[in-house]
Amino acid sequence: QNATVTGTVKSADGETLPGVSILIKETKQATISDAKGAFSINAPDRGILVFSYIGFKTQEVQISKNGPISVILQSSDNALDEVVVTALGISRQKKSLGYAVQELKGQDLAEAKESNLVNALAGKIAGVRVTNSQGSMGSSRVVIRGETSIAGNNQPLFVVDGIPVDNSQLNSAGARDYANTISDINPEDIESISVLKGPNAAALYGSRAAAGVILIKTKTGKSKKGLGIAINSNAVLETLLTLPVYQNAFGQGSEGKFSYVDGAGKGLNDGVDESWGPKLDGRLIPQFYSKGVAVPFVAHPDNVRDFFQTGYSLNNGVSVADAGEKYDYRISYNNLKQVGIVPNSGQGKNSFVLNTTLKITPKLSLTANANYSKLNSDNLPGTGGSRSTSTMLQFTWFGRQVDINQLKNYLDENGKTFNWNNSYYSNPYWVAYENTVSQNRSRIIGSLALNYKIIDGLDFNFRSGTDYYNDRRKVRIAYGTNGTPFGSYTESAFTVSENNTDATLNFNKQLNDDFSLALLGGGNIRRQYIEQNDQSAPKLAIAGLYNLKNSRDPLVSSNNLSRLKSYSVYASGQIGFRNYLFANITARNDWSSTLPAQNRSYFYPSFNGSFVATEAFDIKSEALNYLKIRGGWSKVGKDADPYRLINTYVFSAPFYGNPQLTTGAIDLNPNLKPETTTSTELGLEAVFFNKRFRFDLSAYNTNSYNQILAADVSQSTGFSSKLLNAGKINNKGIEAQLGITPVKKAFTWDVDVNFAANRSKVIELDAEKLLTNYVVASNSAQVIATVGQPYGSLFGTAFLRDGNGNIIVNATGAPTTNPTKQVLGKYTPDWIGGVYNTFAYKGISLGVLVDASFGGSIYNGTYATGTYTGVLASTLPGRAAEYGGISYYYPGNKKENGTVRVNVTAPAGVTVYDDGIVFDGVTADGKRNEKVLPAQQYYKSFRNIDEANIFDASYVKLREVKLSYNLPAKWLRPLSLQGVSVSLVGRNLWIIHRNTVDIDPEVAFNTGNGQGLESLSNPSTRSYGINLNVKF
Amino acid sequence: CNKELDEVNINPNAPEIPQPDYLLTGTTKATVDSYWGVTNNMNSSLLFAQHWAKVQYTEEDRFIYSNSSFTALWSTGYAQSIAGFNKIIELSDAQGNSNYKGVALVLRSWTFLLLTDAYGDIPYSQAGKIKQFVTPAYDKQKDVYYGILNDLKSAQAALDPAGPVIVGDVIYNNKIASWKKFANALRLRIALRIADRDPAKAKQVIDEVQAEGGAYISSNSENAILKYDVSPQQNPVAASFETRNDYRISKTIVDKLISLNDPRLPIYASKTENAPQGYVGIPNGSTNSEASAIGLANSSKPGAYFLDAKAPAVIFSYAELLFDRAEAAARGFTTEDAEDLYKQAIRASFLQYNIGGTAVEDYIKQSGVVYNAANYKKSIGEQKWIALFGQGLEAWTERRRLDYPQLTASVNTVLNGQIPVRFIYPGTEQSLNGQNYKNAVSNQGADLLTTKLWFDAF
C-alpha cells in the first residue's frame, strides 16, 4: 500500500541539500529534493528510500509511520559513492564512467585569486597545461591532452551552468595582450569546476568537444544559517618575478664611443640605441639630461627595474543566499581594482550574479541565472615590439647608463618629448602615459531553464541561454610620438553573442535488482554572432584630442560580421549491472551552417564502460579498498569557421575615386567536410591502505583527421595559403593522479600529485602529400606543424656545421648560417606535473603547490635582441681584458686589413684593443678558427641564427602557497558570525628551476597555437597578499 | 533547414564576384606599391644600384640579409599581382571585353619580368593555377622571357583602341593606345635583356614589333607611371620618410652628378640640413658607426621631387625607351642612329624633370657624356643609370647587364667584394615547394646573392 512520504535532507553541518536523488528501492521510482531540501514521494509502506548526492555517502532509510523523515547525509571521501558532473551537466556516479573526470572546488580558486580564472587551473589537474599570462592582466592559454587541432582552436569549451560561454581573445589592437574572456567569471561565484578531458568525456558537446570541456557550476542559494551573507576581501601585491639580467660595465654607443648632442645622430653615436659604448667608469661625457655638459658616465643597474612599480589588486565581494520551500536564490556582487606593474596600467571589474530557482508547482520549476560583468580599463600594459607602445622594446635596445629618474618628466621645458634616444624611441613614460589603450566590456550571461517532472524518473528540461557582450577599445597614439609624428586614434568595437537552446528528456530507472537504466535524448539550436567595427584616424589633425573627427586623412574603417547556426540532436544511455559493471553510449548528429549542404550533416557516437573489481569480487580488504578499470572509444566531429567555402575579394580605400579590390590570400574550399577526432581511453582507479593511497591512471590515443587548415603554399600558386581538409595528427599520452595521506591524525598531511605526458605526431597535411609544413606562426623562427614531427616544431636558421658538428666560420671568423632551415625544437613539453601538499591542524591549513613542465623549447627573442644590443650580462665575457678579452690590432690601423692577435707586443704605432673573442668553430677547410672578432661583432653575429637563441623551456615553479586559518566556532558564536577564515596567499612566488636566461620560460603570447616564440615579453610577476572571508 | 543554413553562411563582408575595373585599380596599385616600396626598392635594389645608401641600420647596405628579406617581391608579385591580373583576364574572357585582358596581360608580363630579373628561374607556366599546381615547377629564365614575349604579343593583339572601353586604369587613364605603346616598350626592354645571351631572338622580337607597325612610347607624357596622391595614398618613399630616417642618397651618384655638373642633382638630392648646406652622399656599405659619424644632418636625403607625397612611381620612361632604341641600333638590331637616340634619351630625361633650356646641350657635349660608339655599353650604361634614378629594380638590372657604371662594394660588405646580382628565393619556398626549389637551384646555381642569372652573361 502506498502513501505519500515527506521529509528533508540536510548535511552534517545543518545545511539543507537540494537536488538529492531519492530512489524507492522496491519500485525504482525516484525524485529529487527541492531547494529547501524537502522531498515528497509516493512510496510503499515500510519501503526503503535510497538517498544519493554528489560528495555524500549514499544512505538507505526505511519508511516508518512517524511522520516526516529527516535525513542527514554524511560527506563522503569514498570513491564508490562519489558523484560527478558530466557532459550537459548530468550528475553520474563516478564509478559508472569509462573516462577520467577531475574536479576542483570553488574554494581552491577563490582564496588564491587570479584575475584570469584559467591560471588557477595550473598544476592542479593532470593533463591540463596552462600557460600563464604576461603580467597579471593578459591572456592565458589552456590545453588539455595536447593540441588535437593543427590549425584550429585548441582551447577547451567553457560551459557555465549549462550555457557554453565565449572564451575568445579578440585581436590585439594597440599591441595589447587582451585577456581571454573567461576571465570575466569571478572565482568567488564558482561552486566547482569539472574538467572533461577530451572527446571521451565530452562527446555530447559535439563540435567543440575535441579540445575538452571545462564545466563551471556557480553557487546557488542554500537555506541560510544566520543571515546568509558572506563577505570576501582580498588584497594582493604584485612585484616582478623575472627581468633580463643586464650588464653594468658598458654604456650606450658603438665601438666604445658615445657623446650626446640630440640623441638622433648629431652627437657621437648618440642615435645608436645599443650599449657598445664606453666603459661605465665615471668618465665625463655629455648625456641626454646634461644640456651639453660632460657628466659622469656611470651605470644605473636598476634602471629598468625602477621603471616598474609594485602592482596591487583589491577584490571585494558580498553575497546573500537563501532557500525556501518554493525558491532559492543567491545574489553576489564583486569589485576588483587592479593596478599593474607597468606605470599607468590597470583595470577594474564589477560583477553581479543572480542565481534563482522558483518551484512553481511540485512538478515544475523555473531556474533563472544572470551574470552581468563590466570590465573597465583606462590603459592596459603595452606588449610586444611596436615602438610607439611597447614596454620592453626600448629596454632591450638601451643605454645601460640611462638614469631612468631623469626621464620621469617626459616633457622638456618647451613641452617637447624628452628622451635618451630621439632617433627611434619616445620616452618610456610618454609611451606609458600618452599612448594608451582603454578597454571596456559589458557582458551578460543569462539563462532560463524549466524542469518538468512528467512522472517519477522521467523529466523534461528546457534551457535557453545567451552570452552577450560588447567590447570596445580606444587606441591612442599621441601627437609627437617618435615614428608617428601626427599620432593616431583607433576605436574597435566588438559585439559577440552566443545563444544556445536545449530541450532534453531524462529517464532514470532501476529496472530490477541487477539492472539500472539512465537515458537522455535532446536537441540543441546554437547561434553565434560576432561583429567587429574598427575606425581609425591614421593621423590626428590637432594634438591631444582623441576623436574620430579629428583626422588629417580619410578615416580607415573596417567592419566584419560573422554568423553561425547549427542544429543538433543527441542521445545518451547508461546501463548498470549490480553496481559494478556499467556501459555508456552517446550519439550526436549536427547540422552546421559553415559546411556545404552535401557535407552539412555529421554523426558521431561514443562508447565507454567501467568495471569495479572490488565490488564485483566483493573484496573487502584494508590494503585494497577500491579498484576500477575503465575504457572507451569516442568520435567527435567539428565544423568549420563561417565563410570558408567560396573565395572573396578584399576591399581597400578608393584611389583617385576608383574603388579597389584585390584577390584574397586564401584559396577556400567549397567541398569542406567536418573535422573528425577519434579517441580511445583506458584507465585504472585504485584506493589502498584505508584510503591513504589513491591513484587514477589514464592512457589515451587520439587521432584527428580531415583537419581543416589553411596550409601555406608557395605564393607562386597565386595564393598564400590553401584551405585543406586533410590534416592528420595523433596524440597519445598518459596521465596519473596520485593521492597520499602520510599523516592522518589531528594533524593531517595530504599529497596530491598529478603527472601527464603527451606525445604528438603530425601524420599528414594534404592527401596528395605535397605539403610537409604548416606554418602556425612566424617571428624570427617559426612554429610549424611538420609531417613526422611533434606538433609545435620550432623551425629556423641553424649554424652551418661540418660533418663532426663543428660550426663553420666565414673569412672574418664569424659563424655562418646553414642556408637550409632546420627543426630546432618544439614548444610543446614532454611532460607536465604538479605536487600539492596540504598540511592541516585544527583550523589551520597550509597548501603548497609546485608545478613543472619539462622538455619544451622556446625561442628567446629578448636574448636574441639583447645579445645584439649588448645590454645583457651574457655579453660581458670578452668585452675587455678584465672579462677575458683578447688583445689585437689592425695592421696599419686600417680596419679593412682585419684583426691580428697581439702575441708578445704589438708593433709600434698601432692601436691595441682588448675586446677580442675567437668564435669556437672551424674554417671551411676544417682548421680550428683563430680569427679574433671584436666583441661587438662577435655578439652581433648570431642574432639571425635562430639556433643560438632557442633554449630549453623547462621549469619548476613554486606556483601557490596558501596558509589559512578558520576561526573556531566558539569564538564566533557570541559575535553572531557563522564563519571567519583568514588566508595568506602567494602565487608564482619563485621559479625554482629554469634553463633559459633573461625570461620566464612560461609566457603566453596569446591563446592561439603560435607559442614558443618569445619576443620582448613583459616580465612575469609574483603576487602575495591576504584573503578574508566572513560569513554572517 | 538547408536553405536557411546556406543563407547564414553567405559572407557579408566581401564580394564573391569582383568587378574587373575595381580589381584593375587594386591590383595595379598593390603591384606598384611593392615595386616602389621599401623592401624591393629602398632597402635593396636602390642600394645595389648605389642610388641610395643607408645612414642608419646599415646591415642591408652591407648585404647582410636573411632568406626572408626578399619575400615581398615574390609574395606580392604572385599572390596579389599575378593572381589579380589572371582574374581580370578570366573576367574579360567571360564578359567579352578584350581590352581588360590586354591591359592585364601587359601588367602581368611586367610583373613576371620583375620576378625573373630578380630571382632568375621562377614558376611561370604553372604559376597562379592553384587548382592544378599546388607546388608550381620553376621555368628556366630563358623560357620565362620567351613566355612573356609571347604574352605581350597576345596583349598587343587583344588591345584595340576602337574596342570596348575600360575603367579603373590608374596608369594610362583608360587610354588603350598608350597601352599598346607600353606593351611594345616592354618587348623592346626584354629583347635587350636577353641580347647578350640570345641576340637572334632579341633581333627577331624587335623585327616583329616593327613588322606589326608597332609604336613605342614617344614622349614623356606617355611614360608608364603611377601618380600617387596625398596621404594615405602617398608615395611609398614619402611614407617611409614620414616615420623613419634610414636612407640618404649614395655618395657614388652624388659624386658622379657633381663631376658631370649634372642639373638633375638638385632634383635627385636634397641639401644637407646642417651648414654648410650642400649635396653630401653617404658611401654605400658604411658601418653603423661610419654612417653615424657623418651624421643625419650632414648628409643628403633624396630630393623634394622624390619625397613628395604625390610623386610618381616610374615603370617605363620615354628616356629609357630612347636608350633602348639607341642600344638596339648600336647592337645592329636596327638601322637607327645610336648616337642621336642616345642624345635624345638624355634630353628626354632632363625633360622628365622639367629641366628645359640649353642646359642639356652643354651637358651632352662634355667629354664624360659624349657618346662612345666603341664602348656603347659604357655610355649608355652610365647615362641610363643616372636617368633611372629611383627605379631601383630596373637600374640594378641594367647595371648587371651592361656592367656600367662600374661600381665597387665597400670593404664592410660581406660578399667578398661582390655586389648582389640576384635576390635569394624566399625561405618559405624551401619548405613549401621544396623539390621544385631544389631543381631550380641545381639548374641555376646556389641560392646566393652572388649567383649570376642566365641573362647576365658578362
Side-chain angles (χ1 to χ4, degrees), chain B residues 395-451:
Chain B
W396 168 54
T397 304
E398 284 298 86
R399 200 209 67 82
R400 284 183 287 159
R401 186 177 67 85
L402 292 167
D403 299 300
Y404 287 99
Q406 291 176 325
L407 304 177
T408 51
S410 146
V411 292
N412 302 312
T413 57
V414 296
L415 301 177
N416 295 321
Q418 290 175 272
I419 293 172
V421 293
R422 65 181 285 273
F423 281 3
I424 39 187
Y425 292 120
T428 47
E429 281 295 293
Q430 291 183 33
S431 49
L432 301 174
N433 196 8
Q435 190 52 49
N436 291 314
Y437 167 86
K438 278 181 201 152
N439 295 346
V441 170
S442 76
N443 174 58
Q444 178 168 277
D447 187 12
L448 298 172
L449 291 165
T450 49
T451 300

Side-chain angles (χ1 to χ4, degrees), chain A residues 627-650:
Chain A
L627 180 69
K628 167 187 157 187
I629 54 173
R630 56 172 201 253
W633 177 89
S634 73
K635 174 180 171 184
V636 292
K638 187 179 181 192
D639 55 359
D641 289 336
Y643 320 135
R644 305 292 274 175
L645 305 178
I646 300 171
N647 286 349
T648 56
Y649 296 81
V650 182

Side-chain angles (χ1 to χ4, degrees), chain A residues 513-715:
Chain A
D513 280 347
D514 289 339
F515 287 98
S516 66
L517 183 67
L519 295 174
L520 172 145
N524 166 279
I525 301 175
R526 173 180 171 224
R527 289 188 198 84
Q528 192 193 53
Y529 176 100
I530 301 172
E531 189 176 7
Q532 179 178 7
N533 279 298
D534 288 350
Q535 297 265 16
S536 178
K539 289 177 185 167
L540 300 177
I542 58 171
L545 179 68
Y546 297 100
N547 187 292
L548 291 167
K549 287 175 294 205
N550 177 24
S551 184
R552 236 162 240 274
D553 283 352
L555 294 183
V556 178
S557 18
S558 79
N559 141 272
N560 262 293
L561 172 64
S562 161
R563 291 197 302 154
L564 179 154
K565 188 167 185 183
S566 69
Y567 296 99
S568 310
V569 292
Y570 48 79
S572 82
Q574 181 183 80
I575 295 178
F577 178 69
R578 287 190 180 169
N579 236 6
Y580 59 77
L581 188 63
F582 298 89
N584 297 283
I585 178 167
T586 72
R588 179 163 168 142
N589 200 91
D590 289 349
W591 292 263
S592 168
S593 67
T594 65
L595 294 168
Q598 70 273 19
N599 299 330
R600 173 164 294 149
S601 164
Y602 51 104
F603 172 80
Y604 40 93
S606 84
F607 317 93
N608 66 71
S610 75
F611 176 67
V612 184
T614 37
E615 284 283 297
F617 305 124
D618 204 20
I619 299 168
K620 289 202 167 65
S621 140
E622 292 274 296
L624 178 63
N625 310 123
Y626 180 67
L627 180 69
K628 167 187 157 187
I629 54 173
R630 56 172 201 253
W633 177 89
S634 73
K635 174 180 171 184
V636 292
K638 187 179 181 192
D639 55 359
D641 289 336
Y643 320 135
R644 305 292 274 175
L645 305 178
I646 300 171
N647 286 349
T648 56
Y649 296 81
V650 182
F651 279 112
S652 43
F655 183 55
Y656 284 113
N658 296 291
Q660 295 195 75
L661 281 178
T662 47
T663 53
I666 309 177
D667 186 37
L668 300 178
N669 189 338
N671 300 311
L672 285 184
K673 296 184 295 266
E675 291 188 1
T676 303
T677 300
T678 61
S679 175
T680 310
E681 177 176 335
L682 292 172
L684 185 68
E685 294 164 37
V687 179
F688 300 99
F689 310 121
N690 273 333
K691 302 168 198 164
R692 299 281 281 266
F693 186 87
R694 310 164 290 278
F695 81 77
D696 185 331
L697 201 67
S698 305
Y700 59 87
N701 184 14
T702 304
N703 280 300
S704 301
Y705 54 96
N706 284 343
Q707 295 235 322
I708 297 169
L709 49 103
D712 281 12
V713 290
S714 166
Q715 280 127 345

Side-chain angles (χ1 to χ4, degrees), chain A residues 32 57 62 102 131 237 274 288 395 399 436 473 518 549 568 660 726 738 769 830 853 881 885-887 906 992 1010:
Chain A
I32 287 175
K57 285 182 181 164
Q62 188 164 46
Q102 209 175 339
T131 318
L237 294 175
E274 300 169 13
F288 66 93
F395 294 140
T436 59
R473 292 97 190 252
K549 287 175 294 205
S568 310
Q660 295 195 75
L738 199 65
K769 298 192 167 51
D830 291 337
S853 169
I886 296 166
S887 294
I992 300 166

Side-chain angles (χ1 to χ4, degrees), chain B residues 369-386:
Chain B
V369 179
V370 92
Y371 181 70
N372 177 357
N375 192 355
Y376 70 88
K377 282 191 174 179
K378 180 170 193 293
S379 295
I380 293 174
E382 290 182 354
Q383 279 303 317
K384 198 175 195 178
W385 174 68
I386 295 172

Side-chain angles (χ1 to χ4, degrees), chain A residues 717-743:
Chain A
T717 58
F719 292 89
S720 300
S721 57
K722 179 178 170 65
L723 196 65
L724 299 176
N725 199 184
K728 265 188 203 167
I729 183 169
N730 173 267
N731 276 275
K732 48 169 81 80
I734 53 164
E735 285 160 13
Q737 288 165 248
L738 199 65
I740 309 166
T741 308
V743 183

Side-chain angles (χ1 to χ4, degrees), chain A residues 331-372:
Chain A
I331 302 170
S332 81
Y333 165 72
N334 193 80
N335 172 274
L336 166 74
K337 177 179 164 59
Q338 193 172 9
V339 167
I341 56 163
V342 175
N344 194 38
S345 69
Q347 63 179 4
K349 278 187 211 174
N350 283 294
S351 66
F352 302 88
V353 177
L354 170 67
N355 282 352
T356 173
T357 301
L358 288 174
K359 198 167 175 187
I360 299 165
T361 72
K363 291 194 160 204
L364 181 67
S365 66
L366 174 70
T367 301
N369 291 345
N371 182 337
Y372 174 77

